[in-house]
Amino acid sequence: MTDRAWFDAAKGDIPQWAASMPKDADGTTIDWDWVRSLDLAHGVGTIPESTPQSIHDALKADYATRERLESIIAQCNSAFMTDFDRFIGSYRLPRALAYANRRLNDNINTLLRLGEQQHLWVVSRERRGRTTVAVLRPYSGSRPSNDDQGMLNLSGETGDASAGNTAAENSDVKFPTTVALDDIQDRTAAILDARAERRKAQRFQKRAGDAAMARANLSGATSPGGAALPGGAAASGNATGHHPKPDWRDAYLPGRDVDAVMGIDIETTGIDPARDYIIDVGFEFMNMASPRPAGEPETYAYEQGYYAAGDAYGQSRLAFGVPPENAALGNALIAKLTGIDVRGRSSEAGYRLFDEWPQAQAGLLARLTQQPYVAHNATFEHSWFMLNVAGYAESYRAGRITIIDTLPMSRQWDPGAVPTNEHPYGDNTLDAYAKRQGALDSAHNERHLGLEDSHIMLVAMKHHLAALKAQGKGPWGPAGRAGVGGKSCGRKR
């Protein structure tokens, strides 16, 4: 299937999804006819005339569309993974919705900037709850005026002879007296908070139901004091006496027979796989127990000259681009963090977009299924692969992908990961973990490029496993497990 034909195939899956997923993540009944009507391939954003009211109306419409799309996308993972009868055959519809949503998000950010340029509002990016949102405030010269989210006065008759107002009055742009701001505020934080509260209430109800069932079954009569939790604190405690509580991340811990793995790290334009783009992928292979394969090149030149390839082999660095609209917006935060300036990564400059490159996706998937893949905070990579790599979700659900995470290795098995006021769960960043395990010199910091970060992660993992084996801890401790370990779907160990 070539070009954009896969969007039509994705829409062809709507009957399967409609039968299995009638409601979105916010409990709203999904209008699947509306989904079918969307032009996913060419854009679902609104392109306005360059007038203040048109910009306002376009932004309002785009926010509404994004909320509907993202609430559907957010429910797709749960519906797909709990489709035990395999009625839904493919995950390409969520990928297509995410593809369209990324371009829609670019359109929203373009409208926000256009409104700033026309002095319709001032945009500030603020952390609220679980996410960062764009907050619009009235324009008043060179600074935000106050927290009034109602009507914006652009008449210039405030008595404030600021340079900003003078510039506005001398501009060729004709400003209206008022523009409403209250109905074009980003509601993402409120939506995510409400969604989290619903999940919390559901978990509480489930625990209460389980407790009631246990009492009805007189379970306490046969196990006074309660049964020990599997993989409990005493089993996983580290040498400092700090005993981290088991949590869901422990499923990603390696087993004592782990050997050949692929380490991978991605760099992106943001943290949301339904809004942002993959711009850098780095991966390499390393054997945790057996010798390095014969015949592999002996050296590899990393960006950091002080990195030695050591036991690593099969290194690869892949660079990807962004749409012209995204490149035009720029991304100062990512440029500072990674050194990648998206203004030079436009598809018009010859860079291929990862979500438009089937061959790159197929090549990556082939490597991800050959052996366990390792990432630090692997749920991040996993969430991006679900919405970007054709066939990944299907392969994961079928049990063909195993994921190992060095983050819980740091949390559970690293004596240096002790709680502090600054880090209540210990400092478990890749930078801190790699330094504690001798994979990164204390004089240098994590590079935030895919290949370099993959390398220090694998070196740290190998050092850590060797120390744990010598001490009879971790996978070799009382609660350790045989086999490769890691998280996979549809398989029992």
Side-chain angles (χ1 to χ4, degrees):
M1 197 173 295
T2 58
D3 298 329
R4 304 296 175 86
W6 75 278
F7 289 99
D8 294 331
K11 285 188 176 183
D13 297 337
I14 287 178
Q16 302 171 17
W17 285 93
S20 300
M21 197 177 85
K23 294 186 177 182
D24 62 23
D26 300 313
T28 303
T29 299
I30 299 172
D31 183 351
W32 287 106
D33 287 334
W34 173 77
V35 176
R36 190 177 285 106
S37 72
L38 297 174
D39 187 353
L40 302 177
H42 299 99
V44 296
T46 305
I47 308 298
E49 298 177 2
S50 189
T51 63
Q53 192 60 44
S54 295
I55 295 170
H56 166 280
D57 294 346
L59 181 59
K60 182 178 179 179
D62 281 1
Y63 270 150
T65 299
R66 188 176 72 179
E67 289 175 9
R68 294 180 73 178
L69 274 177
E70 292 185 348
S71 63
I72 295 172
I73 296 169
Q75 187 63 19
C76 287
N77 181 74
S78 177
F80 188 72
M81 290 303 169
T82 57
D83 178 28
F84 303 115
D85 293 328
R86 299 298 188 259
F87 188 70
I88 305 173
S90 172
Y91 207 69
R92 59 191 161 196
L93 180 61
R95 287 194 298 107
L97 297 180
Y99 176 97
N101 197 67
R102 292 182 198 107
R103 278 75 185 168
L104 173 62
N105 197 59
D106 290 344
N107 201 65
I108 287 172
N109 287 322
T110 299
L111 291 171
L112 290 173
R113 175 169 291 184
L114 183 58
E116 281 193 301
Q117 292 172 344
Q118 293 204 11
H119 297 171
L120 304 183
W121 48 66
V122 173
V123 181
S124 60
R125 305 281 174 174
E126 299 180 11
R127 185 75 185 181
R128 294 191 173 177
R130 292 164 173 79
T131 189
T132 299
V133 298
V135 178
L136 305 188
R137 290 188 172 87
Y139 174 84
S140 62
S142 59
R143 64 189 184 280
S145 60
N146 52 46
D147 290 330
D148 179 13
Q149 302 299 323
M151 304 302 289
L152 167 57
N153 187 334
L154 291 170
S155 64
E157 299 177 355
T158 63
D160 182 358
S162 68
N165 281 338
T166 302
E169 291 166 0
N170 294 334
S171 170
D172 292 333
V173 179
K174 302 301 182 183
F175 297 111
T177 301
T178 57
V179 173
L181 295 184
D182 56 344
D183 60 346
I184 51 172
Q185 296 296 334
D186 187 345
R187 299 192 323 119
T188 303
I191 291 171
L192 294 180
D193 287 346
R195 196 176 294 166
E197 286 301 314
R198 284 193 298 273
R199 288 197 301 265
K200 181 180 178 180
Q202 291 168 357
R203 288 194 298 269
F204 177 81
Q205 290 175 350
K206 183 180 185 303
R207 286 195 296 267
D210 291 345
M213 183 64 71
R215 288 193 297 271
N217 290 337
L218 301 178
S219 59
T222 56
S223 56
L229 289 172
S236 60
N238 58 38
T240 65
H242 165 54
H243 302 291
K245 295 181 179 179
D247 67 14
W248 58 270
R249 296 177 185 84
D250 294 352
Y252 293 86
L253 288 168
R256 54 179 171 265
D257 300 316
V258 67
D259 189 16
V261 297
M262 184 182 86
I264 189 166
D265 183 75
I266 63 175
E267 303 300 333
T268 61
T269 59
I271 62 173
D272 191 336
R275 293 187 183 183
D276 302 306
Y277 300 90
I278 294 175
I279 53 176
D280 182 77
V281 177
F283 59 83
E284 68 179 26
F285 301 82
M286 189 177 290
N287 296 351
M288 297 291 113
S290 62
R292 184 175 181 275
E296 293 288 341
E298 294 296 327
T299 59
Y300 183 87
Y302 297 92
E303 183 183 278
Q304 277 64 32
Y306 50 86
Y307 282 10
D311 295 329
Y313 58 96
Q315 296 92 339
S316 186
R317 185 196 308 275
L318 308 172
F320 300 101
V322 297
E325 295 78 10
N326 188 278
L329 292 165
N331 196 320
L333 176 63
I334 296 303
K336 181 179 180 180
L337 183 67
T338 68
I340 300 173
D341 189 343
V342 297
R343 292 176 299 179
R345 287 284 184 98
S346 169
S347 55
E348 293 180 340
Y351 281 87
R352 296 286 298 270
L353 276 66
F354 185 74
D355 64 0
E356 292 184 353
W357 197 346
Q359 294 84 357
Q361 297 169 35
L364 182 58
L365 179 62
R367 289 165 174 81
L368 292 171
T369 55
Q370 285 175 354
Q371 69 292 296
Y373 79 80
V374 182
H376 195 79
N377 190 21
T379 53
F380 180 81
E381 274 75 13
H382 174 70
S383 66
W384 284 80
F385 296 156
M386 288 286 290
L387 290 177
N388 278 274
V389 179
Y392 177 88
E394 296 85 343
S395 295
Y396 178 73
R397 188 175 70 171
R400 292 193 292 271
I401 290 176
T402 299
I403 311 170
I404 295 174
D405 194 341
T406 52
L407 176 61
M409 289 183 65
S410 176
R411 284 173 58 98
Q412 299 289 2
W413 296 338
D414 188 337
V418 294
T420 63
N421 290 335
E422 185 178 1
H423 301 284
Y425 301 99
D427 190 349
N428 298 298
T429 62
L430 176 58
D431 184 87
Y433 176 64
K435 286 176 179 176
R436 289 196 300 265
Q437 298 301 326
L440 184 62
D441 189 278
S442 60
H444 301 99
N445 294 319
E446 175 188 356
R447 176 59 183 85
H448 292 291
L449 278 180
L451 180 57
E452 279 68 26
D453 290 357
S454 296
H455 183 64
I456 62 171
M457 174 186 67
L458 287 185
V459 173
M461 178 181 176
K462 187 161 186 173
H463 289 179
H464 196 186
L465 286 175
L468 291 168
K469 185 176 182 180
Q471 298 164 6
K473 297 181 178 179
W476 294 272
R481 54 177 169 166
V484 170
K487 179 74 165 62
S488 61
C489 183
R491 284 187 284 178
K492 301 291 184 182
R493 282 183 166 76

